[in-house]
Amino acid sequence: MKPWLSLSTSNYGRQGQDRDKRRRSTWGADRSVYHYGFVLVLLGVLTLILWNVGWLFNRVNIAMLYLLPVLYSALRFGRGPAFFAASLGVVLFDFFFVPPVLNFSVSDFRYLISFNVFLMVAGLTATLASRLRAQLKEATKREEQTAILYRISRQMVSLTDLASMIATLEQQVSNALQMPVVILLPQTDGRMIVEKAADHVWLNELDQTFASWAFHHGQMCGRGTEYFKEAAGLYLPLKTEANVYGVLCIHIGLSVPPLDLERMTLVEALSSLAAISIARFKLEEEAKVAHLAAESERLRTVLLDSISHELRTPLASIIGSATGILEGEGVLDVADHRELIVTLRAEAVRMNRLVTNLLNMVRLESGMMRLRKQWCDIEDLIGVALRQLKEPLQERTVTLNIPEHLPGIHVDSVLIEHVLVNVLSNAIKYSPERSPLSICASLEDQSLCIAIKDQGMGIAAEERARIFEKFYRSPRNKHITGTGLGLAICKGIALAHGGDIWAEAADPAGSTLVLSLPLTSR
């Protein structure tokens, strides 16, 4: 098997330079007659003007005026026409303005020195002007290439979808080269495919074979390169220092000459930009996965810690109460027996609420929560929540301020009842025993707002948003048991209904949580 040779940019550069020379030679043959003819006409017109008004100038001024066509030719046409203008200018100056006039002989040999100096100055001027013209063209081309790269890079930064990024890259590179372009990405089996093959009818199985070779070898191949030079396309691997992410395929065609060195430089820059853009997207995806994995691990740890503590407490109370009832039979009086049963029921309700919170959080996080909406009366929802908390509320005064004739709301009654129970439970937990609570309903901007106010310590301004985060517990309330899930679930359920829940500004007399639900069905 023939060993593959490494493809160097210098090899391609030499080939491109040879092609440039051939193209410039052909182009020069086509345009030279026009250029030299224009110079000839320009000198003829200048000589005619000076012949008629030459008496206004001395010979030194006339010689300087013959430098103008030289400068113009150098800037407009290049070095060859400029030297032609200088030589012809000397001949015309000698023939028409140096004694003897209308004769090529020179009466004063000092004019020969002047002619040589004129030719030297004209040649130097033509060289400098031609070089300036070439530098201007090069600067213009570089500016155009920089503008193209800048425009594409700006678009790449704003895109977050890989398919959109690939489509934009293909379109921009195709516009820059005026050639069909497609980007092939590798699959798990190593094949190179394109998602929308119908948009690239020129791409055949042979092109994919060449692209696969470029991907696996990390080298460009195809039209004008050292490998598969007779192919109709050019295939550049999209690679960074670490990986190869795909292949940029450019359909040049068999009837079109390969790309010259200038366009090849632009193509390499565009392929590098495409590789960096795809690499950025891949790294962002990996970073998101890593972040999700770390967040999942953190949540799992916090959840296990919370569950191990929160479940152990009610279970211990349930076991203790049940044991007391069984072992105290015939010993406990009716009041003690009732107290143990009440404790048993309260702890079971508490554990049931914890498990319900955990299940609802799992449904919210996984997107599996489905709303079973129906038209409900807000008074009924509040009444159900208060009945569920009858035992904790038996020593408290609950003030209800619910206007008559409130419209019904289209919600999932079970979930909204759960929200009200969680908010009321928090108000009971974080306020002094026997302190009053108030529930107020009102209409505001096509929404029904339910405000639950307690007489507790209040919520600090910096915590009013954080209390709705998962597992957040205020440092001031670390001594009170809880998982930090209740209000986070309330937030998720409210948002799922198109509403919201928030804490009002700090109140010296306690805190107020407001649940807002839309009146219209979504």
Side-chain angles (χ1 to χ4, degrees):
M1 180 181 292
K2 178 182 177 180
W4 293 109
L5 302 175
S6 62
L7 176 62
S8 63
T9 307
S10 60
N11 290 339
Y12 188 91
R14 286 193 293 270
Q15 296 173 6
Q17 290 173 353
D18 293 340
R19 288 194 300 272
D20 290 346
K21 290 179 180 178
R22 291 194 299 269
R23 287 186 177 184
R24 284 195 296 267
S25 176
T26 303
W27 182 84
D30 295 338
R31 302 294 300 274
S32 60
V33 175
Y34 166 77
H35 292 166
Y36 287 97
F38 186 86
V39 171
L40 182 62
V41 172
L42 184 63
L43 286 170
V45 171
L46 178 63
T47 303
L48 180 62
I49 294 174
L50 292 176
W51 178 257
N52 291 295
V53 298
W55 53 271
L56 296 174
F57 306 96
N58 57 37
R59 293 186 181 88
V60 175
N61 298 135
I62 293 175
M64 294 299 102
L65 290 174
Y66 271 103
L67 286 177
L68 295 178
V70 177
L71 287 173
Y72 180 82
S73 302
L75 290 173
R76 184 69 185 274
F77 307 127
R79 190 177 301 177
F83 278 108
F84 174 72
S87 303
L88 184 58
V90 169
V91 173
L92 293 175
F93 177 67
D94 176 30
F95 187 79
F96 288 99
F97 301 102
V98 175
V101 178
L102 301 180
N103 195 314
F104 288 108
S105 61
V106 179
S107 60
D108 191 346
F109 286 99
R110 288 178 296 180
Y111 281 108
L112 296 178
I113 300 176
S114 300
F115 294 160
N116 289 326
V117 171
F118 178 86
L119 288 174
M120 289 172 37
V121 171
L124 179 61
T125 303
T127 301
L128 295 176
S130 178
R131 187 176 301 174
L132 178 62
R133 175 173 174 266
Q135 291 176 351
L136 179 61
K137 282 188 175 181
E138 185 68 22
T140 303
K141 293 176 183 177
R142 290 182 180 178
E143 183 180 0
E144 292 175 354
Q145 293 181 3
T146 303
I148 293 173
L149 295 174
Y150 176 70
R151 183 178 64 252
I152 297 177
S153 63
R154 284 190 62 185
Q155 290 185 331
M156 292 303 101
V157 170
S158 61
L159 295 175
T160 57
D161 178 65
L162 182 59
S164 301
M165 182 182 298
I166 296 298
T168 302
L169 281 170
E170 291 176 349
Q171 180 181 3
Q172 293 294 337
V173 177
S174 178
N175 292 340
L177 300 177
Q178 296 299 310
M179 293 180 179
V181 172
V182 63
I183 294 178
L184 300 182
L185 299 180
Q187 301 302 299
T188 54
D189 58 0
R191 294 184 302 112
M192 307 296 296
I193 69 166
V194 58
E195 294 184 359
K196 298 180 180 179
D199 297 339
H200 307 284
V201 293
W202 57 270
L203 192 70
N204 54 37
E205 186 175 351
L206 189 59
D207 290 312
Q208 296 187 13
T209 302
F210 293 150
S212 179
W213 186 93
F215 176 80
H216 291 294
H217 289 77
Q219 296 181 355
M220 74 173 73
C221 65
R223 189 87 169 135
T225 66
E226 192 169 343
Y227 306 119
F228 314 118
K229 62 180 65 178
E230 299 303 323
L234 179 64
Y235 314 92
L236 293 91
L238 304 179
K239 63 179 181 179
T240 60
E241 294 182 358
N243 296 304
V244 180
Y245 295 96
V247 178
L248 176 67
C249 303
I250 304 172
H251 183 66
I252 301 176
L254 296 175
S255 61
V256 179
L259 300 181
D260 54 22
L261 181 61
E262 174 190 333
R263 301 181 79 187
M264 190 63 197
T265 303
L266 176 60
V267 167
E268 291 177 343
L270 291 172
S271 66
S272 298
L273 179 59
I276 294 173
S277 300
I278 298 175
R280 176 183 63 82
F281 179 83
K282 297 289 186 181
L283 292 175
E284 287 179 355
E285 289 293 312
E286 294 175 1
K288 288 179 182 178
V289 172
H291 176 73
L292 290 176
E295 184 67 14
S296 299
E297 181 65 23
R298 185 187 71 83
L299 293 178
R300 186 181 68 86
T301 303
V302 174
L303 186 59
L304 288 176
D305 291 343
S306 300
I307 291 176
S308 62
H309 179 268
E310 291 298 317
L311 285 180
R312 191 180 293 116
T313 301
L315 281 174
S317 299
I318 291 172
I319 293 172
S321 299
T323 302
I325 292 173
L326 292 174
E327 295 180 354
E329 191 173 349
V331 178
L332 299 175
D333 56 18
V334 176
D336 293 336
H337 193 270
R338 177 178 174 77
E339 184 179 352
L340 287 176
I341 292 177
V342 169
T343 302
L344 184 64
R345 180 179 182 278
E347 294 301 328
V349 170
R350 175 183 171 188
M351 189 167 64
N352 178 68
R353 188 179 302 123
L354 173 62
V355 173
T356 303
N357 280 340
L358 293 174
L359 292 176
N360 285 334
M361 179 55 66
V362 171
R363 292 191 186 101
L364 284 171
E365 292 291 324
S366 62
M368 295 175 59
M369 178 170 284
R370 298 292 182 265
L371 302 181
R372 296 178 176 87
K373 291 185 176 183
Q374 57 184 343
W375 288 102
C376 304
D377 184 82
I378 189 60
E379 293 188 38
D380 294 339
L381 295 177
I382 295 175
V384 172
L386 291 175
R387 283 194 295 272
Q388 291 186 27
L389 297 171
K390 182 178 180 181
E391 292 294 335
L393 289 172
Q394 63 182 352
E395 296 182 356
R396 292 176 182 264
T397 301
V398 180
T399 303
L400 297 178
N401 183 8
I402 303 175
E404 295 182 359
H405 309 299
L406 284 177
I409 52 177
H410 198 238
V411 295
D412 188 317
S413 59
V414 175
L415 294 178
I416 297 302
E417 289 166 4
H418 185 69
V419 172
L420 294 174
V421 169
N422 272 349
V423 175
L424 286 169
S425 298
N426 267 28
I428 295 170
K429 186 187 299 184
Y430 296 108
S431 63
E433 294 182 4
R434 298 183 177 85
S435 61
L437 301 176
S438 67
I439 303 176
C440 178
S442 61
L443 293 177
E444 294 183 9
D445 297 332
Q446 297 300 313
S447 295
L448 178 63
C449 295
I450 306 168
I452 299 176
K453 179 178 174 57
D454 61 44
Q455 301 294 324
M457 64 183 69
I459 303 172
E462 62 274 9
E463 293 183 328
R464 286 204 295 270
R466 297 201 63 191
I467 60 175
F468 297 100
E469 296 177 3
K470 295 188 296 290
F471 303 111
Y472 178 77
R473 301 291 310 283
S474 174
R476 299 184 299 168
N477 302 323
K478 291 295 185 181
H479 61 285
I480 302 176
T481 60
T483 59
L485 286 176
L487 291 181
I489 294 172
C490 293
K491 186 79 169 181
I493 294 175
L495 293 176
H497 281 81
D500 200 0
I501 185 171
W502 65 88
E504 292 284 4
D507 190 330
S511 58
T512 302
L513 294 183
V514 181
L515 171 65
S516 174
L517 296 171
L519 292 177
T520 56
S521 175
R522 294 189 59 180

